[in-house]
Amino acid sequence: MDFIWLLLLSSVASMPEKPKRSSLNQLTRTLLRRYDCGVRPVQNWTSPTTVYIDLILQSVLDVDGKTQSLTTSIWYRQIWTDEFLVWDPEEFDGITEISLSSDAIWIPDVIVSEFVDEGKSPPIPYVYVNSSGSVKNYRPIQAVLACSLELYAFPFDKQNCTLTFRSWLHSVKEIDLALWRSAEAIANDKREFMNDGEWELLSIPSRYWLVRQGGADYAHIQFNVLIRRRPLLYVVGLLIPSVFLMAVDTMSFYLPLDSGTRVTFKISILLGYTLFRVNMMDEFPATAVKTPLIGVFFAVCMALLMLSLSKSILAMKLLHHGQSEVREMSVSAQMLDRYGSMGHSFAESTFTTSSTRTLDDLTQCQGAYEFDLFPGEDIPSLNELPDAPPSSRVEALLRELVSLRLFLREGEGEDAAQSHWLALCSKVDRVLFRLYLLILGLYACTLLLLWASWSFA
């Protein structure tokens, strides 16, 4: 019998000792054994739970003017005190902080009012809890926010989008909100912001206020995200090429009016500008509320190119009109009466010399040689008067000389009229060109003043 007892005792002594639970496991079981995650964690139910909010902006991903939304990557944390998650670190091997499942404890229902879609955010299923009951909930979020965008000054625009934190159900008597850091520290914190993108972070001011709804006050904390667009990419890619095309179009006015290449050149510029606009349409901000000023800029530039082409067509049409046709036009007739008088003295024919007597001289000396010459009158040539007396032959010679002189005078008159008409059309072209430069200069100055005031505001 004693042998059997000794055998039993030896077998019990040889059995492996049951492992002891870890201090972390014991602490977790102790905290969550009687924990109810549906009850606000306060000993006195009249005491409000203060939730501290902290916010850091990491980047601006997209600004959509058509949907009036701003896609951002933010990092924020909520900190509150859970009076049911308090322990003595000395009883659990000096453990002062543990991580617990966010589904196992009470989480305040603090939301962002402007959230349209939370986007692609990594799930964080745990929260940190320290021995004094302070709970820290850290969350990185790629948030799509509803934002009232002002794109009229694009690409020199500034945006002011808000993130408003509030409790969805609990009034300020149950859940109150406060800033974890000072407002100045949050507003000037840019250490996590990716500052090498299209947008520049100016500041993130914040404010706290109460909203009364249904007979109760609700706490709100609003963060204003102030950002400014960097315009260099759009100035180099959009504005400067447009300015170059407008400058080339202006220089085309120095082409000769009667060369016939000015209209062709201007049409080529207009087609090139149209293709440029079509290729750059993706760079314009899509907005369904207001047309950005840069859209007005391109539309007016195209209108100015059309005006320039129309002016050149008008000048060319005026140049190729006959003098009699232009006199029938009311406006052109007034200009012709003032600048186009043809009462100029023509040069004497080279056939008239001091040794040659004119028909008037013959008329004064010999009354028998008086005759009138009419255009289209048949003049007998010298070959038709072989047996005529010398006086008849001299008279026929004078008739031929006077007819040649009238023909040359008519040709000189047509050349002079054409030169004078070209000079008149050049004057009209210069007047229209100066008017075009005036309109273009006023438009450019207006745009520069507007964009300068917005970019330095």
Side-chain angles (χ1 to χ4, degrees), residues 181-202:
R181 295 182 295 168
S182 65
E184 292 78 11
I186 297 177
N188 300 320
D189 189 1
K190 303 179 183 179
R191 65 181 186 274
E192 297 292 336
F193 185 74
M194 299 175 62
N195 205 28
D196 55 350
E198 180 182 354
W199 294 92
E200 175 187 2
L201 177 61
L202 300 179

Side-chain angles (χ1 to χ4, degrees), residues 233-264:
L233 175 64
Y234 301 95
V235 170
V236 174
L238 297 178
L239 298 181
I240 292 182
S242 298
V243 172
F244 284 164
L245 288 175
M246 295 299 297
V248 171
D249 178 72
T250 304
M251 293 174 61
S252 65
F253 281 102
Y254 291 97
L255 291 174
L257 184 61
D258 56 344
S259 62
T261 59
R262 181 191 290 188
V263 175
T264 305

Side-chain angles (χ1 to χ4, degrees), residues 135-191:
V135 183
K136 300 177 182 178
N137 185 12
Y138 296 83
R139 294 193 62 186
I141 294 180
Q142 179 181 329
V144 181
L145 307 175
C147 182
S148 180
L149 301 176
E150 293 291 339
L151 296 174
Y152 182 70
F154 175 87
F156 302 99
D157 54 324
K158 298 178 182 179
Q159 304 300 334
N160 181 7
C161 296
T162 60
L163 288 87
T164 305
F165 291 84
R166 56 160 296 179
S167 174
W168 185 250
L169 293 176
H170 297 83
S171 66
V172 71
K173 294 181 179 181
E174 297 173 332
I175 293 181
D176 196 7
L177 301 179
L179 294 176
W180 178 250
R181 295 182 295 168
S182 65
E184 292 78 11
I186 297 177
N188 300 320
D189 189 1
K190 303 179 183 179
R191 65 181 186 274

Side-chain angles (χ1 to χ4, degrees), residues 302-360:
M302 185 164 288
L304 289 175
L305 290 176
M306 290 293 298
L307 179 62
S308 173
L309 178 61
S310 302
K311 186 205 79 66
S312 298
I313 293 176
L314 176 63
M316 293 292 293
K317 181 66 174 177
L318 185 64
L319 178 65
H320 289 83
H321 260 299
Q323 182 181 356
S324 58
E325 297 175 352
V326 177
R327 285 184 180 275
E328 296 177 358
M329 305 179 188
S330 58
V331 178
S332 301
Q334 295 176 5
M335 298 177 61
L336 191 64
D337 290 339
R338 183 172 181 179
Y339 299 104
S341 176
M342 297 305 299
H344 298 284
S345 59
F346 295 93
E348 294 293 330
S349 174
T350 55
F351 291 94
T352 305
T353 59
S354 57
S355 60
T356 304
R357 292 190 305 172
T358 65
L359 186 61
D360 295 334

